Amino acid sequence: MNKKKAPNRVLKTFLAMTLSASMILGGVAVADVFYPTEDNVARAATTSSSLGSTTAAGLTKISVGDTITFSTSASGSYGKMKAKCISSSNDNLLFQSYGLTHGAWPGTNGKSGTPASNINSYDNYTQALVNELGNALSGALYLPTGTSTSDIQGGANVYNVLVEAAKQYSSFGAAYNNAWLGSPCGSGSAYFVNSNGNVYSYGTGYDYVLAPAFNLKASYAWKIGSTFVKNVGG
């Protein structure tokens, strides 16, 4: 005779309900976390509470010296841009890009009268970067001023990044191995850095690299790996 006892249906039902609840809660927790894609273009996973807390897998603050990748996806854009965090001042972080787009000098004698001190609307590339930075952007995208190797706005580290931008001119579609600076030189000319590290001036209509500098609010300056995370902080 089989003397096995009948299952305790009440206990089994209770355990099943407990397991289901745990899975549901676990699913909610997982759903709130966004993990970076294979090419590391991360979009932060954030959860908000009444305390304003923010969490994400691998989320860390950007520090001076970091080289960060920014998404610049837009119609006709190159998709990504790298910039180095140069310095920190007054709760802002200064970045100098390694190049974003190309074209004529954006000063008053250059393309469409766009000032070199605010190139947010220069083209699709700059507009896409502004959209990517969102509330993190403090001020505008601009070209560092300078008339010699020793007076570049932002110092030697900005100058060194601009030289690298000039070396990569073909990556941005520029016709020449030069990167524009923000300083005019008389009427119809402006200064630039070339790939050999020299600073010269020439006509504003020439097709050189535009490598914008910009400031980010430190409270919004977050990354996953080496990729900027949008809409985190504040």
Side-chain angles (χ1 to χ4, degrees):
M1 180 181 294
N2 188 345
K3 294 185 178 180
K4 288 184 179 180
K5 294 183 179 180
N8 188 328
R9 293 184 178 180
V10 174
L11 178 59
K12 290 181 66 176
T13 301
F14 173 79
L15 292 174
M17 292 175 64
T18 302
L19 177 61
S20 297
S22 298
M23 292 175 66
I24 292 171
L25 290 174
V28 170
V30 171
D32 283 343
V33 178
F34 187 95
Y35 295 95
T37 57
E38 290 182 359
D39 65 351
N40 204 30
V41 180
R43 282 294 162 269
T46 61
T47 56
S48 299
S49 71
S50 59
L51 298 177
S53 63
T54 303
T55 60
L59 187 68
T60 58
K61 293 288 288 184
I62 296 173
S63 301
V64 172
D66 288 347
T67 296
I68 303 298
T69 299
F70 297 84
S71 172
T72 57
S73 296
S75 176
S77 80
Y78 296 107
K80 296 180 184 178
M81 180 200 74
K82 289 187 177 181
K84 186 172 184 177
C85 183
I86 301 295
S87 61
S88 174
S89 178
N90 299 323
D91 297 321
N92 286 328
L93 296 178
L94 169 63
F95 288 81
Q96 174 58 53
S97 72
Y98 285 88
L100 174 63
T101 185
H102 69 100
W105 188 67
T108 54
N109 296 319
K111 178 178 177 178
S112 303
T114 303
S117 58
N118 184 339
I119 60 172
N120 287 5
S121 59
Y122 182 86
D123 62 10
N124 284 344
Y125 309 90
T126 57
Q127 291 173 354
L129 178 58
V130 169
N131 292 337
E132 170 70 3
L133 300 178
N135 292 332
L137 182 62
S138 178
L141 308 181
Y142 66 93
L143 296 184
T145 59
T147 59
S148 71
T149 58
S150 61
D151 72 348
I152 304 297
Q153 181 183 4
N157 287 330
V158 168
Y159 162 75
N160 290 333
V161 174
L162 288 171
V163 172
E164 292 302 314
K167 290 179 180 179
Q168 300 298 320
Y169 73 101
S170 60
S171 299
F172 307 104
Y176 301 95
N177 58 329
N178 305 316
W180 285 118
L181 291 168
S183 295
C185 181
S187 176
S189 297
Y191 287 92
F192 61 87
V193 177
N194 73 8
S195 60
N196 294 320
N198 301 309
V199 174
Y200 299 119
S201 64
Y202 212 57
T204 57
Y206 281 83
D207 183 13
Y208 298 164
V209 175
L210 273 83
F214 53 92
N215 287 281
L216 292 188
K217 301 169 188 174
S219 60
Y220 285 90
W222 294 86
K223 64 179 179 176
I224 292 179
S226 61
T227 302
F228 172 69
V229 178
K230 186 177 181 180
N231 296 332
V232 172

